[in-house]
Amino acid sequence: MPASGVSAADLAARLSALGLLTRVEEHPRHTSVEAEVPDALSAESWREVLQVVAEADRFGLLATSLNGRTLWAVVHKTAPTTGHVGGPGHQR
């Protein structure tokens, strides 16, 4: 599992522990975590949720009248430090 998968998995586990249903998806450059946010989430729970997602590289909230509220967070994958980082044209 990529390093970001561990961090994203940790975020997802912590959000789940707060009572949110989560999904984790791997992408080429990042791992995303999405969580459905119930309407009845207390102010204290919101603070705890925001503390968790603040550790991600990016996060936000998508709210629609049709689909409710979905919290999302993105954890970037680290770039390789050796090898073909810039491709053959960038090697010295």
Side-chain angles (χ1 to χ4, degrees):
M1 179 181 295
S4 65
V6 174
S7 297
D10 179 56
L11 291 176
R14 291 168 55 201
L15 291 172
S16 292
L18 293 171
L20 302 181
L21 296 174
T22 61
R23 295 180 296 283
V24 177
E25 282 189 34
E26 290 291 332
H27 301 275
R29 294 187 176 163
H30 67 274
T31 304
S32 64
V33 177
E34 292 184 356
E36 301 304 317
V37 181
D39 290 333
L41 196 64
S42 70
E44 179 61 32
S45 294
W46 264 115
R47 281 189 286 279
E48 292 174 7
V49 166
L50 290 175
Q51 286 176 343
V52 171
V53 296
E55 296 177 21
D57 293 311
R58 294 184 310 150
F59 68 91
L61 179 70
L62 176 63
T64 68
S65 59
L66 296 175
N67 297 327
R69 299 182 298 186
T70 303
L71 181 70
W72 59 267
V74 170
V75 177
H76 294 283
K77 294 182 179 179
T78 56
T81 57
T82 60
H84 303 292
V85 176
H90 291 88
Q91 294 179 358
R92 294 182 184 214

